[in-house]
Structure formats: C-alpha cells, structure tokens
Amino acid sequence: MNFVLNILEKISNIVYPIKCIECNKVSEKYLCKKCKAKLGIKIKTEIRNYQNKNFASHIFLFKYSDWIREKLIKYKFRDETYLYRFFTEIILEANTQSKFLEKYDYIVPIPISRARKKERGYNQSELIANELARKIDSISVVNIISKKINNKVQSTLKQKEREENVKNVYEINRKEAGNLENNTDKNFLLIDDIFTTGSTSNECAKVLKKFGIKNVDIFTIAKD
Ligand SMILES: [Zn+2]
C-alpha cells in the first residue's frame, strides 16, 4: 500500500475506530485478542492438491462449521457487508505465517450473476479480493470471469446436480482479459468464500485454462 493511502487509513481509523466483531469494543483488530482466545479461533493455512481438476491446489483457512459458518452467512445473506474487512484481516494473518499469497500475481474473484449482484449490492469475493490487493502491492485483481447464466443456488443441490448446474455458466470477460493475453504464464488465484464439492471452482478454472492461463489455484475462507 502506498504511503499516502497508509496515512489516510490511519486517520480514518482514528475517526472511525476498528471495533471487534464479537464484543464490539474498540480494538486494534476486527477480532480482538480476548475474543479470539475465548472462542479458541486458530487461523491455519491448509492446502489440498488435486490431480484431476482444472486447478492444482485448494487453499483454505477453516472447516465450514460453527463460528465461521455463522460469519459467512451473515456476510452473504444478512447484509453485514463490513465483515469483508474481518475476512481480509484473517487472510492476511494466515499469509504472515505461511506466505501463501506470495506466489500469486493475479486474484480472480468468482463472479456472481448480475441479478444476484443487483439484489445483494456487491460480490462478496470481489470485496475481499480488492481489499487484499490494496494491502499487498504485488497482487492485482482481475475480473476476467463473468457469469452469463443465472443458475440455481449451489447450496440447494446435491453433488451431481451441482456439477451440471455450473456447466457452461461462466465465460471469459474479453474486455477485462484483453491485456492479460501476454501474461498467461503468471500465477492466478481464484477466490471464493466456501468450497463444497469444488464444482464452481473447477468450472471457473476451466474457463481460465481455456483462455491459456496455465497456473490456477483456488482460495476459499472455508471448506465444507
Ligand atoms: Zn472482542
């Protein structure tokens, strides 16, 4: 982050102090030390490698249960948009330990349909991706995948149905991808909130591969 932005952020934190998402007290972090200890929250970078998918590795921080599940539901469905700052905070904390973000040049948010974006007002993965790129200079966010079909919500479906449901619903956004044609050998990281069967990630990675991108991984906050 550049110097001026850094100063502006410091000023903004004085005017609008950070408050802990659990106890609501003014804190240095979005999850204060006390609450983190009380809840027993451990942030750990986990990596699973895959041979038979369009992405090589899946990186995640939590099992999708209890506490993190509640936060993700609030973030996605209850309009608690501000939580993107908290999610970014924990991703950066994981990165301080494991440096997993260092190898990536580009982050690609998994898109939501235009209709859903209109209804929710934001793409939850894009907000986090932008905040990460703001904090890490070597990473850029590229919105090079679009959702062309408004399919059924994946969480309502079984595994086989999920695979079918996402088939051919994504495409390369040619306008955004134009200047990336010469950078297809760089490392790309898809980002989403939850990984369940991996169907969505696999389908988005397929679109990137078809465009010529060689190295694609997926990051999600939680794994179901
Ligand atoms: Zn707290």
Side-chain angles (χ1 to χ4, degrees):
M1 190 168 24
N2 79 36
F3 181 71
V4 177
L5 278 178
N6 207 350
I7 300 274
L8 285 176
E9 182 157 315
K10 288 216 165 90
I11 294 170
S12 151
N13 288 347
I14 294 168
V15 184
Y16 305 102
I18 295 172
K19 284 185 182 164
C20 170
I21 58 166
E22 281 297 321
C23 65
N24 210 27
K25 285 185 186 142
V26 172
S27 163
E28 254 176 49
K29 296 196 160 194
Y30 290 97
L31 180 63
C32 78
K33 267 188 198 156
K34 254 190 188 168
C35 290
K36 196 175 169 195
K38 201 168 80 187
L39 290 159
I41 304 298
K42 296 213 166 48
I43 297 160
K44 196 175 144 225
T45 311
E46 299 216 44
I47 302 176
R48 301 269 186 281
N49 298 316
Y50 290 85
Q51 307 292 340
N52 55 349
K53 303 268 188 202
N54 293 307
F55 53 88
S57 303
H58 170 221
I59 307 151
F60 62 98
L61 307 182
F62 295 96
K63 279 249 160 268
Y64 185 58
S65 62
D66 310 331
W67 186 77
I68 198 74
R69 183 170 174 273
E70 179 208 316
K71 296 291 172 254
L72 284 166
I73 290 172
K74 278 186 176 168
Y75 181 45
K76 270 176 88 166
F77 303 112
R78 311 258 166 82
D79 281 340
E80 302 205 16
T81 319
Y82 66 92
L83 283 170
Y84 79 92
R85 289 171 182 256
F86 158 68
F87 291 122
T88 307
E89 177 179 285
I90 55 176
I91 296 169
L92 289 171
E93 188 175 329
N95 187 50
T96 306
Q97 300 159 9
S98 64
K99 312 272 179 235
F100 78 97
L101 284 170
E102 273 185 5
K103 73 181 261 204
Y104 300 102
D105 306 287
Y106 296 106
I107 304 186
V108 185
I110 298 244
I112 54 177
S113 69
R114 218 180 285 178
R116 188 138 318 126
K117 193 165 177 178
K118 206 172 160 194
E119 176 195 320
R120 194 181 289 162
Y122 57 96
N123 170 356
Q124 72 278 5
S125 304
E126 194 181 332
L127 280 184
I128 296 171
N130 286 340
E131 189 68 0
L132 281 175
R134 207 168 69 80
K135 305 266 182 180
I136 303 175
D137 290 335
S138 55
I139 289 179
S140 308
V141 176
V142 282
N143 288 296
I144 53 172
I145 306 178
S146 302
K147 196 167 187 182
K148 56 180 171 176
I149 295 164
N150 190 11
N151 59 353
K152 286 187 195 148
V153 177
Q154 285 286 85
S155 56
T156 60
L157 304 171
K158 296 198 178 78
Q159 170 149 12
K160 265 281 150 221
E161 296 169 331
R162 285 178 186 228
E163 273 171 39
E164 281 304 313
N165 188 44
V166 293
K167 228 171 230 171
N168 303 318
V169 305
Y170 298 100
E171 65 185 351
I172 277 286
N173 181 337
R174 291 270 156 201
K175 226 165 81 190
E176 294 282 335
N179 47 11
L180 281 178
E181 264 165 4
N182 299 323
N183 286 313
T184 49
D185 57 339
K186 294 277 198 299
N187 293 320
F188 287 72
L189 183 66
L190 286 161
I191 180 167
D192 206 358
D193 43 12
I194 308 155
F195 183 106
T196 306
T197 63
S199 305
T200 304
S201 310
N202 201 38
E203 198 62 24
C204 285
K206 188 173 99 185
V207 167
L208 296 183
K209 284 266 160 97
K210 217 171 139 199
F211 180 70
I213 291 165
K214 290 171 193 75
N215 308 313
V216 183
D217 291 334
I218 165 85
F219 170 84
T220 64
I221 292 160
K223 180 182 189 295
D224 199 359

